[in-house]
Amino acid sequence: MLTIALRNVLAHKARLLMTVLAVCLGVAFVSGTLVFADSTAAVQRAAASRTFADIAVSVTAKESPAAPDRPSAPSVLTDALARRLADVPGVAAVRPSVDGSATLNAADGRPLRVKRGTNLAAAYVPGRDGKDARYPVVEGRAPAGADEIAVDRGTAAAGRYRVGDTITLATDGPVLTARLVGTVTTGDTRVTAGGTLTLFDRATAQRLFATPGHDTSLEVSAGPGTGQYELAERIAAVLPPGTAEVTTGQAQANQQAIYVGTLTRGYQKLPMVFAGVSLFIGSFLVVNTFTMLVARRTREIALLRAVGATRRQVVRSLLAEAALVGVVASTAGFALGLGIAAVLPGLLSGDGNQVPKGPLVIGPRPVAAALFVGVGVTVLAAWLPSRRAARIAPIEALRAAAAAQPGQRSWLRPTAGVGLLALGIGLLVALAGSAEDASEANLRSAMLGCGVLVVALIVLAPTLAVPVIRLTGRLTRRFGVAGLLARQNALRDPRRTAATAATLLISTALVSGLATIGHSTGQALDRQTADGLAADYVISTGDTMTGIDPAAVQRVAGAPGVRGASAVADSTVVIGGKVREISGIDPADVKSGGVEPGGVGQVMKLDFVSGSAQDLGPGRIAVSSSVARETGVSTGAQVNARLGRSEEFTRYTVVGVYQDNPTAHDAVGARGDVQKHSFKPGSVQRILVRGDGASGEGLRAAVGNNPLLKVQDRAELVREAAGTMSDLLTLMYGLLGIGVVISALGIVNTLAMSVTERTREIGVLRAIGMDRGGIRRMIRLEAVTVAAFGTLLGLAGGLFGAWAVGALAGGAVKQYTLALPWGTLALLCLASLTIGALAATLPARRAATLSPLEAVAAA
């Protein structure tokens, strides 16, 4: 039986090629992602090992309670302590280190921001040879004065800097300018992961990140024969109690390993999604291919049964055939996966995110995964067709080879499909009724409901094929006899048609659902920004831990084209047991019957349901409608709240309730009251600007081109708020590409085998007068009919799922309403039909080249 399986694979290698390609895509994504993750982790571990190779123990200062706004300010790490540590037995050397954070402006004046890694700043501390081994200089020299800096090569390339340029930067204070005197290399994973590195001389770094004469850490190297843990105990005994922490170099390397693991897991998410979708869609192609092969080889299998083959042997033969196909797909997929692993670093790099490159690491995990996935998916998908083959009776060997045997009508499949459909719709409708609760559990339930809905449509597809294709067939009848025959051919075997269309059904459902949610969310964010923000620009810090100098508000107000500017202090507030956001505004800007010129009323739309912002003051706040509903408070009520860094709850009077407003956040208080308890006392976090002809460049200049500040217009605010949705849209187009490729393979495979089955039929059509063009038209219309069927079902499932999941999005985005992206949906339908027509090109050409006499004479 194994020999028979091998011969069948070789006999039908052209037919099985499409199956191999479909499974190959999924295997390539799985194996390529694993190789990429292992290779990236190896590069990062090697870099971390080099970074901590000569560090046995690191000594860092504990937080200073006297300076809560500067938690890294050391109190004991001085040169005197470094000399004491150098005298500890087993210590080879002590190297001071000063670390912090610095954000730079690129050469075009815009902030140089990163998505991964950190904006690291450090001191260049030369040794006896005048060099710092941690940061080898590759161009220029090391910084030697307060107005000099050096950066790593990656930062220089990202910011388009040249040695000698004057660079604007900021740490946690006013804007600084410094001259770039050199570039260096570093193996620090915080930088190589896509961060930036800025080096100062030691005195400048101490002034910026600690206090003069103090360091942030002391790195100790061990002498020969001294272990890290032994040396750590000796150093801990020398340090003043409670002033510093001792960490071994191995522990620091382990922390870097955790960081690397987290980073590589993030890199794996998107390719693994593609892998899962590829394998899921490809499995339908495997099922369809083997189902058609079994139908084609009915007499052969019956003959085997007649000469003594048992049902188990028939099943094993077909599973062995599938396993051989899986091995070929796994081998080809693994080879393709190595190519994917090689190009992924370049594809994922960019926009402030640099993925480290290195030699590919091919371990046993990706090899085993490739074989397990490729062979496992193929054999599992071929199991059902093999079971059907085992039920073929030996008497079938006496029937004519071309006689198609109709399948037995069973109510099991429609019943199961209706049950799954009811379950999926029920889950989604129930979730749509809880639109206010966009919890993680509800989102998982929504994904489950969408999955059940798609599976239900796949199960019901053979039942739905007849009425849907009869409906769409009214269009194909316009093409005459060719169109009528195309419709009848599609209806001849509804199961086969449904299995072929299943690939398009899945990809269309995914794409249409994601596109609808993305489009609806984008419009909701736009409306939300328009409803809550009257300002044309927002200047912000991006977090509540830093601040803007209040004097900058006056400079912004005087910038060209600015009609009004208002400062807002942002902080956190604990109300009702939850941490929320509070905005501090100046009540004097809000006047009875209007607003103060240039005041907050011109830039922030506050629509009060009850009460008024005029009553804000010390001990008085206003809350949003959502907070009022959650906590049960109303205007005039008393509420216990804790602002910012305050450690005690204070009783506040609620002076008003306003409609939800993302610009005002969850609560509004008097700016002075919020500033007093903020993490950066006395500062503001946003400046809302209204202007006629004001420009982003002019506003950046007004705040000193501070790279810590973001200057955004309304469109940029919407794009930032929709950042996650943009990633989903990228995912959508990737899934569409995968679905299109596999769908095309499935249509080609099905039509090619269908043409072989209908050889005599095509010969008869040619003999009675149908020309080659008519044959080609018939095959293409059949492919378009199948594609249209899958697209219609996919659109129905995707749009219904988008409605239900979108209802949950309304709990997070209050302005959310379902909005159909008509242009995208039209393009999706056009692309699906075009793919169907193109996929039929080769089978149609083959059918048209058949000789009428040879075709009629075929057995």
Side-chain angles (χ1 to χ4, degrees), residues 368-404:
L371 288 173
F372 176 78
V373 169
V375 177
V377 168
T378 310
V379 171
L380 185 63
W383 183 74
L384 283 177
S386 69
R387 295 280 294 178
R388 295 195 193 102
R391 290 196 294 267
I392 295 176
I395 194 64
E396 297 292 338
L398 303 178
R399 296 181 182 272

Side-chain angles (χ1 to χ4, degrees), residues 658-675:
Y658 57 89
Q659 290 186 356
D660 289 354
N661 186 326
T663 306
H665 297 321
D666 302 308
V668 171
R671 193 172 71 201
D673 204 18
V674 174
Q675 285 178 320

Side-chain angles (χ1 to χ4, degrees), residues 4-14 16 320-322 324-325:
I4 293 174
L6 180 60
R7 288 181 176 176
N8 281 329
V9 170
L10 296 177
H12 305 99
K13 52 183 178 291
L16 295 173
E321 188 174 335
L324 291 173
V325 173

Side-chain angles (χ1 to χ4, degrees), residues 654-734:
V654 177
V655 298
V657 177
Y658 57 89
Q659 290 186 356
D660 289 354
N661 186 326
T663 306
H665 297 321
D666 302 308
V668 171
R671 193 172 71 201
D673 204 18
V674 174
Q675 285 178 320
K676 182 171 62 176
H677 298 289
S678 69
F679 296 97
K680 193 75 173 178
S683 65
V684 297
Q685 280 66 44
R686 283 181 293 164
I687 303 176
L688 308 183
V689 182
R690 188 73 180 268
D692 297 320
S695 66
E697 290 74 13
L699 295 177
R700 273 189 286 271
V703 292
N705 288 316
N706 192 328
L708 294 176
L709 303 182
K710 294 188 292 186
V711 179
Q712 298 170 293
D713 59 21
R714 296 162 68 91
E716 290 171 328
L717 288 170
V718 172
R719 284 196 296 270
E720 182 181 64
T724 302
M725 191 53 60
S726 298
D727 294 338
L728 282 177
L729 293 178
T730 302
L731 173 64
M732 175 195 74
Y733 291 118

Side-chain angles (χ1 to χ4, degrees), residues 471-489:
L471 179 64
T472 58
R474 295 180 180 180
L475 298 177
T476 59
R477 282 191 304 181
R478 296 177 180 273
F479 294 90
V481 175
L484 181 62
L485 290 174
R487 187 186 71 163
Q488 295 301 322
N489 288 333

Side-chain angles (χ1 to χ4, degrees), residues 210-493:
T211 55
H214 295 77
D215 303 306
T216 58
S217 65
L218 297 175
E219 298 172 352
V220 182
S221 57
T226 303
Q228 292 186 2
Y229 295 99
E230 178 186 0
L231 187 60
E233 292 178 355
R234 294 176 185 174
I235 290 176
V238 174
L239 296 172
T243 60
E245 295 179 352
V246 178
T247 308
T248 63
Q250 183 61 49
Q252 290 181 298
N254 291 339
Q255 292 175 356
Q256 290 290 342
I258 295 174
Y259 172 79
V260 170
T262 303
L263 185 66
T264 53
R265 281 195 299 273
Y267 289 145
Q268 294 179 46
K269 289 181 180 178
L270 187 60
M272 280 301 185
V273 170
F274 287 160
V277 172
S278 298
L279 292 171
F280 184 64
I281 298 177
S283 64
F284 289 93
L285 179 54
V286 177
V287 171
N288 201 25
T289 299
F290 275 90
T291 299
M292 295 176 69
L293 285 176
V294 168
R296 179 67 179 167
R297 286 152 47 188
T298 298
R299 289 190 66 190
E300 174 188 326
I301 295 172
L303 186 60
L304 289 174
R305 295 277 286 114
V307 298
T310 65
R311 291 187 174 184
R312 288 187 177 181
Q313 287 179 313
V314 171
V315 171
R316 285 199 295 266
S317 173
L318 286 172
L319 292 183
E321 188 174 335
L324 291 173
V325 173
V327 169
V328 175
S330 298
T331 304
F334 185 78
L336 181 60
L338 294 180
I340 292 176
V343 302
L344 270 179
L347 294 176
L348 296 176
S349 296
D351 195 18
N353 174 33
Q354 296 298 319
V355 178
K357 299 180 181 180
L360 295 181
V361 176
I362 304 175
R365 186 175 65 146
V367 176
L371 288 173
F372 176 78
V373 169
V375 177
V377 168
T378 310
V379 171
L380 185 63
W383 183 74
L384 283 177
S386 69
R387 295 280 294 178
R388 295 195 193 102
R391 290 196 294 267
I392 295 176
I395 194 64
E396 297 292 338
L398 303 178
R399 296 181 182 272
Q405 299 303 314
Q408 295 181 350
R409 183 179 297 274
S410 173
W411 292 103
L412 179 61
R413 187 184 188 105
T415 303
V418 170
L420 288 172
L421 185 65
L423 177 61
I425 292 177
L427 282 172
L428 293 176
V429 170
L431 289 171
S434 59
E436 295 296 331
D437 184 12
S439 63
E440 184 177 348
N442 273 353
L443 290 176
R444 285 198 298 266
S445 298
M447 294 177 63
L448 175 62
C450 291
V452 172
L453 180 64
V454 170
V455 172
L457 291 176
I458 293 172
V459 174
L460 284 174
T463 306
L464 297 174
V466 175
V468 173
I469 292 178
R470 281 178 177 171
L471 179 64
T472 58
R474 295 180 180 180
L475 298 177
T476 59
R477 282 191 304 181
R478 296 177 180 273
F479 294 90
V481 175
L484 181 62
L485 290 174
R487 187 186 71 163
Q488 295 301 322
N489 288 333
L491 290 172
R492 178 178 300 182
D493 191 340

